[in-house]
Every structure is written in C-alpha cells, then in structure tokens.
Amino acid sequence: MIKNYLKIAFRNLWRHRVFSFINILGLTVGMTACFLIFLYVKFELSYDKFNSKAANIYRLNTDIKTPSETINTSVTAWPFAPNIKREFPEVETFTRVNNGSFLVRKGDAKFQEDNTLFADSTFFDVFDIKMLKGDPKKALKDMFSIVFTEDAAKKYFGNEDPIGKQVLLTGDGIPSTVTGIIQNIPENSILKGDMLVSMSTLTQHLNKGLDQQWGNFGATSFLLLKPGVDPRAMEKKFPDFIERNNGKERKESQMFYTFTLEPLKDIYLLSTRDGNKLGNMNNVDIFSIIAVFILLIACINFINLTTARSSERAKEVGIRKVVGAAKSQVARQFIGESVILCIIAFLLTVLLSVLLLPLFNKLAGKVVSHGIFTNWQYLLLLFSAAIGIGVLAGAYPALILSSFKPVVVLKGRFATGTKGILLRKGLVIAQFSISVVLIIATLVVYSQMSYMRKRDLGFSKDQMLVVSTQGDPARFALKNAVNSLPNVKSTALSSSVPGSGNPGAYSEIENKKGDLQIANLDLYFVDWNYIPQYKIKMVAGRSFSKDFGTDTTQAMVVNESVTKLLGYSSPQEAVGRKFKQWGREGKIIGVMQDFHFRSLQQPIKPLTMRIEPDGCDLLSVNITGGNVPATLASIEKKWKEMIPNRPFSYFFMDEFFDRQYRGEERFGNLFLNFAILAIFISCLGLLGLASYSTMQRTKEIGVRKVLGASVTNITALLSSDFIKLVLIAIVIASPLAYIGMHKWLEGFAYRTSVSWWVFLLAALTAIFIALFTVSFQAIKAAVANPVKSLRSE
C-alpha cells in the first residue's frame, strides 16, 4: 500500500512538475531563510549562557543621583565589590573587570593590545573561560601576571610554550610573566579581551590605592550569588551598607547612589546603562517575526496551489472512492504527497544553508554559527518543522479532496466551490499584506540610515586622521613635526574625539540662581587648536586662546546643553560663571554649539572642555585630499623617528564615527535581504496561481480572441483580479507598518519621520511586482493560437 502511495505521489509530482517546482522552491527558500534567522536569534539569545553559573551571576550597577540628574551606570567604586563579599554571606565570590590598553613587547614583536581586561584573581571562579595552560586559581593572583588567549599568545610565542616567559608592558617596559593561556573568549560574551592582566597590577602599581577610593567609579563588578539567594531581597540591604561605608562622603559631594543587581543573561539584549546598547532585543523580535512571516508565506503558497489544483484530481478521487477507498485513505494519500514535498524542500534547505552560511555570517557581522551540523538538535528541529508544515499545509487540501462525492465528480459536474476561491483570495491578500509591510519597513530603515549619515553633526570629520599616542612623552614633538609636513593643514591634541567615549567629571558650576550646582559632566581635555580644527561653532563668549595666560588653568568652554542644565535662558548668560572641576577653579569663557560627540541614538549630553595638554593622547591631523598614502607614509616616518617603541596606530575620523552605526547598517542589510526573499516567495505563489487561473480559462480566452479581443484586453482581464487583491493588501498593511516602524524609530534620539511617500512608493512597488508576475502568464495566454484551445469543443 505504501509503495503504491509513493509511486502515485511521485508520478503526480512529475506530471505537474511546474507546480511541484514552484511549491518546492517556495518552501526551500522559506525554510532556508527561517533557519538562518533561527540561528541568528539563537545566537543573540545565547550571550553568556555558556557560563554554568550564569543564573547566579549578577552585575552590580549604580544609580547616582546628583542635584542635576540621575546617572544610570554599569560601574561601581573600586572598594564596593570586595567589601560586599566580606559583609554579605549571600555572595559566594566576586570579580571586577576593567578595560585597558597596553603596549606589549617581546623582542622585535610589539603590539598595542587595545582589547585588554584587568581582572581579579577570582575571574575564573565566576566565568567559564577554559584555561588551556596554567592554574586558574593562581593565574591572576600576583602583580604583573598575564593571561593570553590562544590567538594572542601565537603572535608573541608562535608554537613555543609561553608559560613562565616574560613580555614587557607599557612604554616603561615593565617585565610581566605569562601565567596562563585561555581559549579565545566566545563571541557570544559581553567580555571582550585578548589579554587579561591581574587586577593587582592596576590597584597596587599603576594606580596605587585605588581599592580605597570609595568615590572613584570605574570598576565593572560581578557578584556570584549562592544558589537560592533572592537578588531583590539583597538589594534592600545595600542602602545600609552604603551608609556605613560611604555615608559621609556621599553627603559632602551631594552624590547619592543606590545599587541594583542585573542578571548577566539580560545584559547584552536588555541593558541600556551608560546610554549604550550592546545588543538590541527589538531587532531580535523583528527578525523572529520576519522568520514567521516568511514561513507563513511559503505555507500559504503551498495551500493555495494545492487547493487550486484540487479540481484536476477530482475524478481520481471519485474512482478511488468507487473502488472502495475510505475517506481517511484518500486524505493520507494527499497529506503524504505534501510531506514528500516538504522532505525534498528540507534536503534542499540543508544544502542551501551550508552554502549560504558564510555569506550570512558576513552580513550579520559576526559568526552566528560555525556550521549547521555543529548542533544536530537544530537540524532535527528543522526536520520536525518540515514534517509539521507538510502535515498542516496538506491537511486542508486533503480534507477538501477526500470529501468529494464520487457520483457528482464522475458525472463531470464538479467545480471549485466558492469557499475555496475565497480562501485562495484571502491567502493572497495575507501574503501581499506581509510583503507590503516588509517593503514599507525596509524603506523606513534605509530612510533612517540615510538621515543619520546626512545629518549635520556640528563638527567636521572629513579628512581628519587620528593617531593614538597612548600618552607617550614624545607626542608634543610629534605634533610639531607632523604640523610642518606638506598636505597637513593643522594638528590638535585631545583626550577624546567624537565617538571615542569620554570620562564623566564631578563638577560644580554656578547656575542661574548663583549657586554652585553639582553635576557629573562629560569632559574633553584639549589643546588650543582643537575647537577651530574640528570647526565647532561658538555661540557665546570665545574659544581658548594663547593670548590669555589663565586659559591653561582657569578657563572652561561648555556646550549649550550645559547652559540648559544650569537653567540659563540663553548661552550668553553662562559666560563668566564660576566652576570647580577635578581640582581646578575658574570661569566659563565660552559656549559651543551642541554637536554630536556620541551616536545619534543618544541625545546630546552636557560637555565641558579644558586646556590640559598632559591629559591629551590623541593627535588629530587635518590633511588635504590629495595623495593620502604619501601623507600617511610621511606621518608614519616621523612616528618611527620619535616614538620607535610603539606601533603606529591611526584611524580616519569619518570611518571611526560611522562605526557606531554599523549595527544598524547590518540590521538594514539583513532586513532588506529577507524582505526580498519574502517578496520573491509571494511572487512564486502568485505566478503559480496566475498560471493555474490562465490554464483554467484557456477556452474562454480562445473565444474572446475569436470575437475580436486584443492582447491588451485579455491581459488586463486576467491581471485585474489579482491587482484588486494587492490593493486590499496595501490598505490592510499600511497602518500596521506605520505603527510598527513608528515604534522602531523611538529607539533613536534623532530620527526621521514615517513620510507619506514611503507608503506611496511601497504601494507602487507591490502593484508593479504583482503586475510583472501576473502579466507574464497573461501575455503568454493572450498571444496563444485560439484554434488550439477551441479544437476540443
């Protein structure tokens, strides 16, 4: 019986191979897209879940309330975590990490290791980073201990065993011992580092006494709680702990803070602390919805084409029933054919996924999977989904076909019912509603990306080369030497450039009432040339000038946001007001126009600038557009003459700043590609239905041609029904797309609007796609010889 079912199934699939091909192709493309999105979503949701104790690991966050604002930060003061471990029995252990950058030398090899992490000796008690060589209990215990990742170790030691060997750290050449080699930190971790340096190196040597500085916030602290501990109950105990250890200093500084515990597993996708997002849960949700949409469209195609062809197999069903076939047997036959199609689509999906995975990883900007066979459970899930799709998608057609009455069918009076026609039309509307939503969403995404790239940032980033000197003493001489090179317009030193991040500084600034208002303000250390070189506009007062000797010690320039924070109605009112900041006192000499020194996803924050040459380590070089390679070579030559012990490291300001939007650009590219796939699958279904509709109306077309209908008349006749369905889809999809994209845009502090032209363009695009798809078959039928179609009459 089964052999007979299979023989009939394959014979029927081959006989109607065009429709079978469309069905298999649609399912394959849909399942492949869905599977790749599934890999992406699983990867995004897997961040830090490889840690066996992840459920009990929490980041200790701080909310700092000042008279001006509340700062939600992910760091704590350095002494807090060790003292919490000492006073709270709920805490099994803790570890602190801090980002760093080190010049590392071994012989002739020298690298600036920007991805460095300072870490406590308990780091490996908290996180499951596999130690390949060395003792995880002792590796980060002593000062000047280093743990390299596999790849980093090979840079310095090749295949040599590095344990116990020494490298030189910093420009001073501090001998440091390699005490461990770990596997490369997994990409799905919020911790990024090629080299770990013992925390005692920082707290007992590089910044001695840091562990006693209760007001110095800079440590990212993780607590490993004992099983069963309620983190919310523990948070309620923190205020007393803070008051005991730091109550007096809090009152004096008027900076009141509270602690919260954030689950490690939530940080990547859900945390918005420090104004930054590591991942984006909205994007994960959007791609999950797209995956469902694509699979739904593929299933709709299958149901549509199968039910449309049901009348062709009516006599087959009638004969089967006459010779004794039960309704359940007929249903199983057609569900079996559906499952066979899905199994073929599954095999092709596996092949296509293998071929497309490297390209998909590139589009995603990360290795979401090293191979689809690394997790056989995923393939089993895909196979189960294929079988499920086959059964569910084939169930309705099977029930329709198996319910035919043999007497009616064999007399030739069977015709497709009104319910079947309405179902197909409804499914086509659903398909194109999804497609129109995706078209509108794609246009809005790219409109926002364009808006962000073209928006006036308030500073000049073109032809700006930034060289990182890492604070080398020769940077001042280098600046003067580079300034004299041809094709160099100007140079400036600073502690930060837009997009690079900058420290917050405890500040007291005179407000409109005449009081010194406490605030935590972003701070740039700059030299005299910085503001004019970056073409930052002054809206009140003046910029720094060598003509005023006090500018080096008693002057500050602020942006417009600072004046608004202090309550001034105009920037001019802030000029001449007093300030105290990090041991300096003086007056505000000028107000800058607000400029975007952070991503457009964040609102412009208050910013201060002071002349502080010793705090500047970034050299900005404004170069001409001609012969950039030669200019770079000249600058590198000067570097090697003056700072020979450091590798030459530079970046172009425009590329560096735009890097902040790389995640959004990748999201846009992925979105576009999957939207195209969804539209392609919809077109396949429309093509199949148009082909079937045209075949059903062959004789009608022949009669119309004999009576004088033109090719245009017939094409319009066959296309009009489908265009009406697309127009209904546009009406349904437009408000849904508007609501969804309006919510997505709320994630940007500076954003474009959802314009009317987006809906018009999406509607025209959908109509054009539908017309192009349907007219191909319509024209083919219209130009056919009517004699052939009427010969059987």
Side-chain angles (χ1 to χ4, degrees):
M1 180 65 73
I2 295 175
K3 181 180 179 182
N4 183 51
Y5 280 168
L6 290 173
K7 183 189 293 185
I8 294 171
F10 281 111
R11 183 183 297 165
N12 185 62
L13 294 177
W14 179 250
R15 182 183 175 191
H16 302 284
R17 47 188 173 272
V18 173
F19 291 102
S20 300
F21 172 77
I22 290 174
N23 255 340
I24 292 171
L25 180 60
L27 281 171
T28 300
V29 173
M31 288 170 62
T32 302
C34 190
F35 184 61
L36 292 176
I37 294 175
F38 170 79
L39 293 178
Y40 172 82
V41 169
K42 286 290 290 185
F43 180 82
E44 290 292 284
L45 294 173
S46 72
Y47 264 73
D48 290 300
K49 291 181 180 176
F50 61 85
N51 292 289
S52 59
K53 304 169 186 174
N56 295 322
I57 301 173
Y58 292 83
R59 185 173 69 183
L60 186 65
N61 296 326
T62 313
D63 295 326
I64 306 172
K65 187 175 182 180
T66 72
S68 303
E69 59 182 337
T70 298
I71 305 163
N72 305 118
T73 180
S74 61
V75 296
T76 65
W78 295 89
F80 278 120
N83 282 276
I84 286 174
K85 167 64 177 75
R86 196 174 297 120
E87 295 190 29
F88 287 81
E90 298 96 327
V91 179
E92 185 173 318
T93 189
F94 77 96
T95 191
R96 297 167 298 174
V97 295
N98 184 253
N99 294 321
S101 178
F102 271 107
L103 172 65
V104 183
R105 289 179 287 163
K106 180 185 179 291
D108 294 332
K110 54 187 176 184
F111 297 95
Q112 188 68 40
E113 296 291 354
D114 291 324
N115 289 327
T116 297
L117 287 177
F118 289 104
D120 280 307
S121 59
T122 51
F123 180 84
F124 297 105
D125 295 332
V126 177
F127 298 108
D128 293 345
I129 307 296
K130 186 178 180 183
M131 180 75 76
L132 303 177
K133 292 182 180 179
D135 184 349
K137 297 287 184 184
K138 300 178 180 178
L140 293 171
K141 188 174 182 181
D142 299 324
M143 277 200 299
F144 309 118
S145 296
I146 294 176
V147 173
F148 280 120
T149 62
E150 259 183 300
D151 288 348
K154 287 179 182 177
K155 288 196 301 186
Y156 299 99
F157 299 96
N159 295 322
E160 182 185 356
D161 184 0
I163 299 297
K165 303 287 195 324
Q166 288 194 331
V167 294
L168 303 179
L169 289 188
T170 76
D172 297 331
I174 302 171
S176 303
T177 305
V178 180
T179 54
I181 303 297
I182 57 173
Q183 67 178 13
N184 296 328
I185 296 177
E187 189 161 359
N188 58 339
S189 173
I190 60 169
L191 301 171
K192 305 294 181 187
D194 300 317
M195 181 175 82
L196 305 181
V197 178
S198 58
M199 184 63 75
S200 56
T201 305
L202 176 64
T203 59
Q204 297 177 31
H205 179 80
L206 298 175
N207 199 334
K208 198 170 182 180
L210 200 59
D211 276 342
Q212 282 73 49
Q213 297 176 15
W214 290 85
N216 189 339
F217 287 77
T220 302
S221 304
F222 294 94
L223 303 180
L224 175 61
L225 305 186
K226 293 178 180 177
V229 172
D230 182 1
R232 304 288 81 86
M234 188 173 169
E235 285 177 346
K236 293 177 182 178
K237 300 179 181 180
F238 285 145
D240 290 338
F241 166 80
I242 295 170
E243 184 63 30
R244 285 197 309 273
N245 289 280
N246 199 230
K248 184 180 178 182
E249 186 176 341
R250 284 197 314 158
K251 291 171 185 175
E252 289 175 353
S253 64
Q254 293 187 50
M255 297 181 72
F256 301 94
Y257 37 87
T258 55
F259 289 152
T260 58
L261 293 172
E262 186 171 32
L264 175 67
K265 295 184 290 185
D266 292 349
I267 293 173
Y268 176 72
L269 285 175
L270 300 178
S271 182
T272 57
R273 296 210 159 241
D274 306 312
N276 297 318
K277 282 185 179 181
L278 297 174
N280 194 319
M281 191 65 195
N282 284 338
N283 290 355
V284 171
D285 291 339
I286 288 169
F287 280 127
S288 300
I289 292 169
I290 289 175
V292 173
F293 278 176
I294 289 175
L295 205 56
L296 184 61
I297 290 172
C299 291
I300 287 172
N301 278 355
F302 185 89
I303 295 171
N304 256 344
L305 290 175
T306 309
T307 54
R309 287 178 44 232
S310 59
S311 60
E312 290 183 21
R313 304 188 67 180
K315 289 185 179 180
E316 175 191 340
V317 173
I319 293 172
R320 282 176 175 275
K321 285 196 168 186
V322 167
V323 297
K327 184 177 180 179
S328 59
Q329 290 176 310
V330 175
R332 281 199 299 270
Q333 168 69 38
F334 292 110
I335 290 175
E337 290 182 15
S338 171
V339 170
I340 289 171
L341 273 177
C342 290
I343 291 174
I344 295 171
F346 163 77
L347 296 174
L348 292 174
T349 295
V350 172
L351 176 62
L352 205 55
S353 297
V354 169
L355 297 174
L356 292 178
L357 187 59
L359 177 61
F360 182 72
N361 285 334
K362 188 176 179 180
L363 280 171
K366 59 183 74 175
V367 181
V368 299
S369 178
H370 292 282
I372 68 169
F373 299 107
T374 53
N375 287 294
W376 62 267
Q377 301 96 327
Y378 294 171
L379 286 177
L380 181 61
L381 184 63
L382 178 64
F383 180 75
S384 301
I387 299 297
I389 290 168
V391 173
L392 292 174
Y396 179 80
L399 290 173
I400 295 294
L401 291 166
S402 62
S403 64
F404 292 163
K405 293 181 179 179
V407 175
V408 175
V409 169
L410 294 177
K411 285 184 178 180
R413 290 202 296 266
F414 172 78
T416 305
T418 306
K419 290 183 180 179
I421 295 171
L422 289 176
L423 172 68
R424 289 196 293 278
K425 287 183 176 181
L427 293 177
V428 169
I429 291 171
Q431 268 189 327
F432 267 85
S433 294
I434 294 170
S435 297
V436 172
V437 166
L438 292 176
I439 293 170
I440 293 171
T442 303
L443 292 172
V444 171
V445 167
Y446 273 84
S447 179
Q448 175 64 15
M449 294 300 103
S450 177
Y451 173 83
M452 293 168 69
R453 283 191 290 268
K454 294 177 181 178
R455 182 178 168 84
D456 181 13
L457 298 172
F459 70 94
S460 174
K461 58 186 175 70
D462 297 329
Q463 301 300 323
M464 199 73 73
L465 176 74
V466 181
V467 180
S468 178
T469 69
Q470 298 295 325
D472 194 281
R475 63 190 183 279
F476 304 109
L478 176 69
K479 176 184 183 297
N480 294 330
V482 170
N483 202 42
S484 63
L485 292 173
N487 298 327
V488 172
K489 295 179 181 179
S490 62
T491 57
L493 280 166
S494 64
S495 60
S496 303
V497 294
S500 67
N502 41 275
Y506 177 81
S507 311
E508 297 178 56
I509 302 187
E510 186 180 349
N511 61 24
K512 190 172 183 177
K513 297 177 182 178
D515 301 325
L516 284 177
Q517 182 171 321
I518 294 172
N520 191 70
L521 304 177
D522 286 358
L523 171 63
Y524 276 21
F525 289 140
V526 300
D527 69 3
W528 315 97
N529 300 333
Y530 187 85
I531 291 176
Q533 180 168 310
Y534 276 90
K535 298 179 181 178
I536 300 169
K537 296 177 182 177
M538 301 297 297
V539 295
R542 62 177 178 84
S543 181
F544 298 111
S545 172
K546 290 183 179 180
D547 295 335
F548 298 87
T550 56
D551 278 8
T552 56
T553 56
Q554 300 173 24
M556 174 186 283
V557 172
V558 302
N559 68 352
E560 292 174 290
S561 293
V562 171
T563 67
K564 294 171 186 174
L565 179 70
L566 298 173
Y568 295 114
S569 55
S570 69
Q572 285 79 9
E573 293 181 33
V575 177
R577 301 289 182 159
K578 297 176 184 178
F579 77 86
K580 292 181 181 180
Q581 187 184 66
W582 276 4
R584 291 286 176 92
E585 295 185 27
K587 293 182 178 181
I588 296 171
I589 62 169
V591 180
M592 303 172 286
Q593 184 182 71
D594 277 344
F595 67 94
H596 292 279
F597 60 95
R598 294 189 179 185
S599 164
L600 285 170
Q601 290 174 303
Q602 304 174 42
I604 296 174
K605 295 185 66 177
L607 174 68
T608 62
M609 287 188 186
R610 286 185 7 219
I611 295 289
E612 196 82 43
D614 290 339
C616 300
D617 59 359
L618 296 177
L619 175 62
S620 298
V621 184
N622 191 8
I623 62 177
T624 61
N627 205 352
V628 174
T631 305
L632 270 173
S634 301
I635 296 172
E636 185 174 8
K637 184 179 178 182
K638 292 293 182 184
W639 175 278
K640 289 179 178 178
E641 291 174 3
M642 298 180 175
I643 312 179
N645 290 329
R646 291 185 181 275
F648 179 58
S649 175
Y650 70 91
F651 56 85
F652 283 98
M653 189 65 223
D654 53 352
E655 295 175 359
F656 178 77
F657 192 83
D658 291 345
R659 198 179 301 164
Q660 298 176 101
Y661 310 121
R662 194 167 290 171
E664 282 70 36
E665 288 177 354
R666 286 172 181 152
F667 169 76
N669 290 333
L670 283 172
F671 198 102
L672 174 64
N673 282 278
F674 287 122
I676 290 172
L677 284 179
I679 294 165
F680 171 72
I681 298 170
S682 295
C683 290
L684 277 179
L686 201 59
L687 178 65
L689 281 178
S691 300
Y692 177 76
S693 177
T694 303
M695 185 175 66
Q696 291 289 88
R697 302 175 71 174
T698 301
K699 291 182 174 60
E700 177 192 342
I701 293 168
V703 172
R704 287 181 179 275
K705 288 196 73 175
V706 168
L707 295 176
S710 65
V711 172
T712 305
N713 295 143
I714 294 172
T715 303
L717 173 71
L718 295 175
S719 303
S720 60
D721 287 344
F722 291 103
I723 299 304
K724 289 175 186 175
L725 300 180
V726 173
L727 289 174
I728 295 171
I730 292 168
V731 172
I732 294 171
S734 295
L736 296 176
Y738 175 81
I739 294 168
M741 296 317 296
H742 183 74
K743 184 177 179 181
W744 180 76
L745 287 170
E746 287 177 352
F748 297 86
Y750 302 92
R751 53 186 177 267
T752 186
S753 58
V754 185
S755 304
W756 63 268
W757 64 263
V758 169
F759 299 97
L760 178 61
L761 183 57
L764 293 175
T765 303
I767 291 169
F768 173 79
I769 290 170
L771 270 175
F772 179 79
T773 306
V774 174
S775 61
F776 175 77
Q777 284 296 325
I779 293 171
K780 183 180 176 182
V783 299
N785 188 348
V787 174
K788 292 182 179 179
S789 59
L790 297 173
R791 185 176 295 162
S792 61
E793 291 295 318

